[in-house]
Every structure is written in structure tokens, then in C-alpha cells.
Amino acid sequence: MGRVLLAGLSDAELDAYLAGATFKRLTRATIVAAAPLRREVLRAREQGYAWVAGELDESICGLAVPVRDRDGQTVAAMNVSLATGEFTEAEAVAQFLGELRVAASRLRASSR
């Protein structure tokens, strides 16, 4: 969900955040440098979702989408967490992305 929230920032805000960020390796897959994390955040921004596998905990992967306000600004994120190895990114996207987007849209609509 963090990548989705970061993807909602402007480029300047993202760069400022990354410039001051402290990185901590939690697993072998954890990204611990600004440049590769920025690439992943920009990828999430472009795709409209983020996929993270084994970076926070080796046994967990997740798919996250933004929740936007009436003006289209990202104000929150929602996700589905899965056991690592149960789904590839493509499989998770095929099975869960549509439902996540619908749920996020409903939250947006209910806030009016």
C-alpha cells in the first residue's frame, strides 16, 4: 500500500520523500535504495496498482490500489495480502484487481 500512496505524490514530493527516507532491509527482496524504489513507485503510478512480493515478509505478497477522493487525489490505499507462491503477479491481477478497484471506487462514492 505504501507504493500506491507514494505514487499519489507529485514528482517533487516523491523525490523529497525519497531524499529523506531511511531504508531498512526486512528480507532479501526488500528494496533499500531510493532509485529502484522510485522506479517501482512510478511503475505503480502508471499501472494504477502495486504488486509487492516478499519484501516485508518472505511469506507474504500483496496487490494494492489507490482510494481517491472526489478530486482524484490518492487519500488511502487498499490491498489484498496473499501467501507467497500462491499467485504470480499476473494471476493476482487477473483474480483480484477488478474487485479491488470496484471496492476503492465504492469508498470514493460513499464519501460524497
Side-chain angles (χ1 to χ4, degrees), residues 42-87:
L42 295 179
R43 183 173 156 224
R45 183 187 291 170
E46 182 179 310
Q47 295 177 144
Y49 72 87
W51 170 257
V52 175
E55 290 189 45
L56 303 174
D57 180 308
E58 291 177 351
S59 65
I60 299 172
C61 56
L63 182 68
V65 298
V67 176
R68 301 182 192 281
D69 65 13
R70 286 184 274 180
D71 298 323
Q73 298 300 308
T74 299
V75 295
M78 63 174 24
N79 81 308
V80 59
S81 293
L82 307 160
T84 297
E86 297 273 323
F87 293 89

Side-chain angles (χ1 to χ4, degrees), residues 9-60:
L9 300 176
S10 70
D11 287 341
E13 291 169 324
L14 176 59
D15 290 340
Y17 173 83
L18 292 173
T22 301
F23 296 90
K24 180 179 178 184
R25 184 170 303 282
L26 300 174
T27 72
R28 291 174 285 160
T30 305
I31 294 175
V32 291
L37 181 56
R38 187 177 198 283
R39 282 192 296 274
E40 289 301 313
V41 168
L42 295 179
R43 183 173 156 224
R45 183 187 291 170
E46 182 179 310
Q47 295 177 144
Y49 72 87
W51 170 257
V52 175
E55 290 189 45
L56 303 174
D57 180 308
E58 291 177 351
S59 65
I60 299 172

